């Protein structure tokens, strides 16, 4: 069954394809139109803007805090009743060093504030913080899918692996369209979306 959506699609494969095509185009627009540079790095309100921009044409819940409990595999994300308090705490977390930024990213992943599309929007959000605070971004094309998913799965208990993985993929080439678009493609690949390239999605 497909998630309820604005397109009226009931087949989950059709929805996944349309979601990838539309939201990848929007992800490119975020960069091209300078929207990301106007956001306050590290704030949940900025993540809401990113999520709403990516998914607004597809889901009514775009940019809205989820109202249901969700899990992935055996891991349960923050319960709805504690979610707003968790997000307030994340807003206050320091973000002046690479380690602090990744710790904040891990906490936001545990919060998983949206019904769908958390990983894809939060990786863009993470790069916004890194860009502003330390003048770097992650070159996601250098981060292996299996290594990343395993490191993220373990990160609530031990964040050393994800820190190591992301630190080795940092680049100072923060204005490169190429690195950004390859990053979007990789970010979507982690979630199983491979039908379109970011470059193609807006042609």
């Amino acid at each position: 069954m497909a998630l309820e959506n604005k397109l009226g699609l009931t087949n989950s494969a059709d929805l996944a394809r349309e979601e990838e095509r539309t939201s990848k185009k929007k992800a490119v627009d975020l960069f091209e139109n300078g929207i990301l540079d106007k956001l306050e790095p590290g704030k949940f309100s900025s993540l809401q803007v990113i999520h709403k921009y990516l998914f607004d044409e597809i889901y009514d819940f775009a940019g809205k805090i989820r109202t249901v409990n969700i899990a992935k595999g055996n891991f349960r994300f923050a319960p709805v009743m504690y979610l707003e308090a968790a997000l307030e705490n994340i807003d206050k977390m320091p973000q002046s060093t690479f380690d602090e930024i990744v710790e904040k990213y891990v906490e936001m992943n545990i919060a998983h504030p949206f019904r769908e599309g958390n990983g894809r929007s939060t990786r863009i959000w993470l790069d916004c913080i890194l860009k502003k605070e330390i003048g770097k971004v992650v070159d996601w094309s250098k981060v292996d899918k299996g290594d990343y998913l395993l490191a993220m799965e373990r990160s609530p208990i031990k964040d050393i692996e994800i820190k190591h993985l992301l630190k080795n993929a940092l680049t100072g080439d923060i204005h490169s369209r190429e690195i950004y678009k390859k990053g979007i493609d990789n970010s979507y690949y982690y979630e199983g979306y491979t039908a379109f390239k970011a470059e193609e999605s807006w042609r």
Side-chain angles (χ1 to χ4, degrees):
M1 270 298 289
L3 268 178
E4 197 172 309
N5 59 84
K6 291 181 175 180
L7 309 173
L9 296 171
T10 52
N11 179 293
S12 53
D14 292 344
L15 175 60
R17 193 177 162 80
E18 201 49 42
E19 183 186 313
E20 179 183 1
R21 191 183 67 78
T22 306
S23 62
K24 266 191 181 170
K25 177 190 181 301
K26 299 300 286 283
V28 172
D29 290 347
L30 276 172
F31 183 86
E32 300 283 2
N33 299 337
I35 295 164
L36 296 174
D37 296 326
K38 299 187 184 99
L39 300 177
E40 190 178 353
K43 296 296 180 192
F44 172 61
S45 56
S46 298
L47 180 58
Q48 282 183 294
V49 170
I50 293 167
H51 190 271
K52 185 170 174 58
Y53 198 87
L54 291 181
F55 300 109
D56 198 34
E57 289 179 24
I58 304 150
Y59 298 120
D60 284 326
F61 58 71
K64 295 176 185 168
I65 297 176
R66 63 180 162 86
T67 54
V68 292
N69 288 323
I70 56 172
K72 197 177 225 172
N74 294 323
F75 187 77
R76 297 184 69 76
F77 296 106
V80 168
M81 63 186 293
Y82 302 124
L83 192 47
E84 295 213 26
L87 293 169
E88 282 170 26
N89 288 333
I90 293 166
D91 265 1
K92 295 175 195 152
M93 287 176 75
Q95 55 185 51
S96 57
T97 66
F98 172 78
D99 280 7
E100 286 176 350
I101 293 166
V102 176
E103 284 156 20
K104 191 164 188 158
Y105 170 61
V106 165
E107 287 303 314
M108 188 59 86
N109 182 62
I110 293 167
H112 242 61
F114 309 114
R115 182 70 186 83
E116 174 63 38
N118 289 280
R120 288 167 283 165
S121 45
T122 308
R123 284 186 283 275
I124 295 172
W125 179 81
L126 167 65
D127 272 331
C128 288
I129 312 174
L130 290 167
K131 189 175 183 177
K132 172 77 191 321
E133 301 292 351
I134 63 168
K136 306 266 187 193
V137 291
V138 178
D139 181 348
W140 293 99
S141 69
K142 292 184 176 162
V143 181
D144 177 80
K145 176 178 179 174
D147 292 346
Y148 170 78
L149 293 176
L150 203 54
M152 285 307 287
E153 200 179 298
R154 293 174 180 158
S155 65
I157 293 115
K158 203 175 191 184
D159 60 19
I160 192 163
E161 283 176 69
I162 194 65
K163 283 177 177 171
H164 177 74
L165 208 56
L166 297 183
K167 184 166 259 183
N168 284 341
L170 288 178
T171 173
D173 204 354
I174 59 174
H175 301 297
S176 166
R177 291 170 80 240
E178 215 46 53
I179 284 174
Y180 178 82
K181 284 195 278 197
K182 277 196 304 185
I184 293 298
D185 284 333
N186 245 49
S187 177
Y188 275 64
Y189 166 61
Y190 300 150
E191 313 287 346
Y193 294 89
T194 55
F196 301 93
K197 288 267 186 272
E199 188 68 72
E200 298 163 354
S201 60
W202 52 275
R203 276 183 184 154

Short mmCIF file of all heavy atoms in Angstrom, two decimals, residues 2-23:
data_model
loop_
_atom_site.label_atom_id
_atom_site.label_comp_id
_atom_site.label_asym_id
_atom_site.label_seq_id
_atom_site.Cartn_x
_atom_site.Cartn_y
_atom_site.Cartn_z
N ALA A 2 0.50 2.21 -0.84
CA ALA A 2 1.24 3.47 -0.90
C ALA A 2 0.76 4.40 0.22
O ALA A 2 -0.39 4.35 0.64
CB ALA A 2 1.00 4.13 -2.25
N LEU A 3 1.68 5.25 0.70
CA LEU A 3 1.30 6.29 1.65
C LEU A 3 0.29 7.22 0.98
O LEU A 3 0.36 7.44 -0.24
CB LEU A 3 2.52 7.13 2.02
CG LEU A 3 3.35 6.74 3.23
CD1 LEU A 3 4.53 7.70 3.35
CD2 LEU A 3 2.54 6.78 4.51
N GLU A 4 -0.61 7.75 1.77
CA GLU A 4 -1.59 8.69 1.22
C GLU A 4 -0.85 9.88 0.61
O GLU A 4 0.07 10.42 1.23
CB GLU A 4 -2.52 9.17 2.33
CG GLU A 4 -3.77 9.81 1.80
CD GLU A 4 -4.79 10.11 2.90
OE1 GLU A 4 -5.10 9.21 3.70
OE2 GLU A 4 -5.21 11.27 2.96
N ASN A 5 -1.22 10.25 -0.61
CA ASN A 5 -0.46 11.29 -1.30
C ASN A 5 -1.38 12.19 -2.13
O ASN A 5 -2.51 11.83 -2.42
CB ASN A 5 0.62 10.66 -2.17
CG ASN A 5 0.03 9.71 -3.21
OD1 ASN A 5 -0.39 10.13 -4.28
ND2 ASN A 5 -0.03 8.42 -2.88
N LYS A 6 -0.85 13.35 -2.51
CA LYS A 6 -1.63 14.34 -3.25
C LYS A 6 -1.85 13.92 -4.71
O LYS A 6 -2.68 14.50 -5.40
CB LYS A 6 -0.90 15.68 -3.24
CG LYS A 6 -0.84 16.36 -1.90
CD LYS A 6 -0.12 17.70 -2.01
CE LYS A 6 -0.14 18.46 -0.70
NZ LYS A 6 0.55 19.76 -0.82
N LEU A 7 -1.07 12.95 -5.17
CA LEU A 7 -1.15 12.54 -6.57
C LEU A 7 -2.21 11.47 -6.81
O LEU A 7 -2.48 11.09 -7.93
CB LEU A 7 0.21 12.02 -7.04
CG LEU A 7 1.40 12.95 -6.77
CD1 LEU A 7 2.71 12.27 -7.12
CD2 LEU A 7 1.26 14.25 -7.55
N GLY A 8 -2.77 10.96 -5.70
CA GLY A 8 -3.80 9.93 -5.80
C GLY A 8 -3.25 8.58 -6.24
O GLY A 8 -4.00 7.72 -6.72
N LEU A 9 -1.94 8.37 -6.07
CA LEU A 9 -1.33 7.10 -6.46
C LEU A 9 -1.55 6.05 -5.38
O LEU A 9 -1.36 6.33 -4.19
CB LEU A 9 0.17 7.29 -6.72
CG LEU A 9 0.53 8.21 -7.90
CD1 LEU A 9 2.02 8.49 -7.93
CD2 LEU A 9 0.08 7.59 -9.22
N THR A 10 -1.92 4.85 -5.79
CA THR A 10 -2.17 3.79 -4.81
C THR A 10 -1.13 2.67 -4.90
O THR A 10 -1.06 1.81 -4.04
CB THR A 10 -3.57 3.17 -5.03
OG1 THR A 10 -3.69 2.79 -6.41
CG2 THR A 10 -4.66 4.19 -4.70
N ASN A 11 -0.33 2.70 -5.95
CA ASN A 11 0.74 1.70 -6.12
C ASN A 11 2.04 2.28 -5.56
O ASN A 11 2.47 3.36 -5.97
CB ASN A 11 0.88 1.37 -7.61
CG ASN A 11 1.97 0.37 -7.87
OD1 ASN A 11 3.14 0.66 -7.67
ND2 ASN A 11 1.59 -0.83 -8.30
N SER A 12 2.67 1.57 -4.61
CA SER A 12 3.83 2.13 -3.93
C SER A 12 5.03 2.31 -4.88
O SER A 12 5.81 3.24 -4.71
CB SER A 12 4.23 1.28 -2.72
OG SER A 12 4.40 -0.05 -3.10
N ALA A 13 5.15 1.46 -5.90
CA ALA A 13 6.25 1.62 -6.87
C ALA A 13 6.05 2.88 -7.71
O ALA A 13 7.00 3.63 -7.97
CB ALA A 13 6.34 0.40 -7.78
N ASP A 14 4.80 3.13 -8.13
CA ASP A 14 4.50 4.36 -8.88
C ASP A 14 4.77 5.59 -8.03
O ASP A 14 5.33 6.58 -8.51
CB ASP A 14 3.03 4.37 -9.32
CG ASP A 14 2.72 3.31 -10.37
OD1 ASP A 14 3.67 2.78 -10.97
OD2 ASP A 14 1.52 3.01 -10.56
N LEU A 15 4.37 5.51 -6.77
CA LEU A 15 4.59 6.65 -5.86
C LEU A 15 6.08 6.90 -5.66
O LEU A 15 6.53 8.05 -5.72
CB LEU A 15 3.90 6.38 -4.51
CG LEU A 15 4.13 7.43 -3.43
CD1 LEU A 15 3.62 8.81 -3.87
CD2 LEU A 15 3.47 7.03 -2.11
N ALA A 16 6.84 5.84 -5.44
CA ALA A 16 8.29 5.98 -5.22
C ALA A 16 8.96 6.65 -6.42
O ALA A 16 9.80 7.55 -6.26
CB ALA A 16 8.92 4.61 -4.96
N ARG A 17 8.53 6.25 -7.60
CA ARG A 17 9.11 6.81 -8.82
C ARG A 17 8.78 8.30 -8.95
O ARG A 17 9.64 9.13 -9.26
CB ARG A 17 8.54 6.01 -10.01
CG ARG A 17 9.24 6.23 -11.30
CD ARG A 17 8.64 5.34 -12.40
NE ARG A 17 9.02 5.84 -13.70
CZ ARG A 17 10.20 5.62 -14.26
NH1 ARG A 17 11.11 4.93 -13.64
NH2 ARG A 17 10.48 6.12 -15.45
N GLU A 18 7.53 8.64 -8.72
CA GLU A 18 7.10 10.03 -8.85
C GLU A 18 7.72 10.89 -7.74
O GLU A 18 8.11 12.03 -7.97
CB GLU A 18 5.57 10.10 -8.80
CG GLU A 18 4.97 11.34 -9.41
CD GLU A 18 5.51 11.68 -10.79
OE1 GLU A 18 5.68 10.78 -11.64
OE2 GLU A 18 5.78 12.88 -11.02
N GLU A 19 7.79 10.32 -6.56
CA GLU A 19 8.40 11.03 -5.42
C GLU A 19 9.87 11.33 -5.71
O GLU A 19 10.35 12.44 -5.46
CB GLU A 19 8.29 10.17 -4.16
CG GLU A 19 8.84 10.84 -2.92
CD GLU A 19 8.85 9.90 -1.72
OE1 GLU A 19 7.83 9.23 -1.46
OE2 GLU A 19 9.88 9.84 -1.04
N GLU A 20 10.58 10.34 -6.27
CA GLU A 20 11.99 10.56 -6.58
C GLU A 20 12.15 11.64 -7.64
O GLU A 20 12.96 12.56 -7.50
CB GLU A 20 12.63 9.25 -7.07
CG GLU A 20 14.11 9.44 -7.42
CD GLU A 20 14.78 8.21 -7.98
OE1 GLU A 20 14.12 7.16 -8.13
OE2 GLU A 20 15.98 8.30 -8.27
N ARG A 21 11.38 11.53 -8.71
CA ARG A 21 11.50 12.49 -9.80
C ARG A 21 11.22 13.91 -9.34
O ARG A 21 12.00 14.84 -9.59
CB ARG A 21 10.53 12.10 -10.94
CG ARG A 21 10.75 12.86 -12.23
CD ARG A 21 9.70 12.48 -13.28
NE ARG A 21 8.37 12.92 -12.91
CZ ARG A 21 7.94 14.18 -13.03
NH1 ARG A 21 8.73 15.12 -13.49
NH2 ARG A 21 6.71 14.50 -12.67
N THR A 22 10.12 14.08 -8.64
CA THR A 22 9.70 15.42 -8.21
C THR A 22 10.63 16.00 -7.15
O THR A 22 11.07 17.14 -7.25
CB THR A 22 8.25 15.36 -7.65
OG1 THR A 22 7.41 14.76 -8.63
CG2 THR A 22 7.74 16.74 -7.32
N SER A 23 10.93 15.19 -6.13
CA SER A 23 11.71 15.75 -5.02
C SER A 23 13.18 15.94 -5.38
O SER A 23 13.84 16.82 -4.83
CB SER A 23 11.55 14.89 -3.75
OG SER A 23 12.04 13.59 -3.94
#
